Amino acid sequence: MKVLLVNGSSHEHGTTMAALSEMIKVFEAEGVETEVFQLKDPISDCLQCGGCRTKGCCVLQDGGVNEFVEKARQADGFVFGTPVYYAHPSGRIFSFLDRAFYSNAGAEAFRFKPAASVAVARRGGTSATLDALNKYFGISQMPVAGSTYWNMVHGRVAADAPEDEEGMQTMRNLARNMVWMMRCFVAGKEQGVPYPDSENIACTNFIR
Ligand SMILES: Cc1cc2nc3c(=O)[nH]c(=O)nc-3n(C[C@H](O)[C@H](O)[C@H](O)COP(=O)(O)O)c2cc1C
């Protein structure tokens, strides 16, 4: 089993990574493989050019979006971590996720795999940030993992994170819950529980 963790901060070793690292310790103790995908810069916005509909991947080459989607096909679960900027996720993770989810038709690399979002902040805006990230999961048939509190760690810099004792505990419990969910899915597969047979999307635009 493998979990792919995305660091949506420009700081490779910042607060977001401190929160993700707390989860990684649990994954590793439970024998779950991990890989951190560090978002690169710059990352272009989605252009809604439609190129992915014919090419099957994003036509823009920056940001490692297509590389990530290929890795996602092999992963069993996902964690998307971001710093809070003005009470929302980082611009880079928004642009990255727009392109990764939109270009991957039917979210084929993601669907039916557990996902969690993690927000870090000095003080406020974490809940709104988590809401924004969780929307990618809801539209992509991804079960959302929860913890013993909302998935947030407080700190201005990485060194502050361990002082948020409950935040770090929330990260560890989140990782435990993800491991449990992934194991349940493996057990279901072994028992022959089929994936749901989703209907083709009617794609109405509310225009008559
Ligand atoms: C542009 C910008 C906006 C920010 N907005 C907020 C905010 O709304 N609420 C907050 O608590 N912290 C805010 N912060 C602080 C960061 O969320 C905080 O320093 C975080 O720990 C950075 O994580 P990182 O080291 O992983 O990048 C902001 C920082 C920047 C650069």
Side-chain angles (χ1 to χ4, degrees):
M1 278 194 312
K2 181 172 178 178
V3 173
L4 202 48
L5 303 99
V6 172
N7 181 5
S9 168
S10 60
H11 302 137
E12 260 190 78
H13 305 289
T15 321
T16 308
M17 197 55 222
L20 298 181
S21 299
E22 198 66 12
M23 295 185 74
I24 288 172
K25 283 185 217 160
V26 174
F27 288 132
E28 288 181 349
E30 294 287 342
V32 174
E33 199 187 328
T34 59
E35 181 175 347
V36 175
F37 194 89
Q38 171 62 48
L39 294 196
K40 303 160 184 68
D41 48 35
I43 297 185
S44 310
D45 280 336
C46 176
L47 304 174
Q48 204 184 357
C49 67
C52 55
R53 295 295 176 256
T54 46
K55 275 198 83 180
C57 62
C58 187
V59 297
L60 302 175
Q61 297 306 313
D62 70 297
V65 170
N66 294 329
E67 181 197 345
F68 173 76
V69 171
E70 284 314 306
K71 288 179 186 291
R73 292 184 203 287
Q74 311 305 322
D76 302 288
F78 304 93
V79 183
F80 298 97
T82 182
V84 172
Y85 288 169
Y86 292 97
H88 57 65
S90 69
R92 71 177 58 205
I93 202 167
F94 258 153
S95 296
F96 180 81
L97 292 180
D98 282 353
R99 285 171 52 200
F101 279 82
Y102 196 77
S103 65
N104 178 229
E108 182 261 329
F110 302 112
R111 66 183 168 184
F112 312 132
K113 299 176 182 176
S117 50
V118 168
V120 307
R122 187 186 72 80
R123 195 163 175 83
T126 40
S127 303
T129 298
L130 294 172
D131 286 347
L133 291 187
N134 287 345
K135 293 203 172 73
Y136 291 93
F137 314 149
I139 199 171
S140 307
Q141 304 187 89
M142 299 169 85
V144 182
S147 185
T148 39
Y149 195 77
W150 293 303
N151 308 333
M152 55 184 71
V153 171
H154 287 95
R156 192 182 61 79
V157 292
D160 296 335
E163 289 177 40
D164 181 2
E165 200 181 324
E166 186 175 354
M168 295 305 245
Q169 190 178 50
T170 303
M171 293 301 105
R172 295 192 294 275
N173 285 334
L174 177 60
R176 289 184 185 106
N177 291 347
M178 278 195 73
V179 172
W180 170 72
M181 287 173 83
M182 290 187 295
R183 285 184 180 145
C184 286
F185 289 137
V186 170
K189 220 182 269 180
E190 284 169 1
Q191 290 298 311
V193 179
Y195 285 118
D197 196 8
S198 313
E199 294 180 29
N200 283 335
I201 301 168
C203 208
T204 52
N205 297 335
F206 301 105
I207 294 169
R208 290 176 197 277

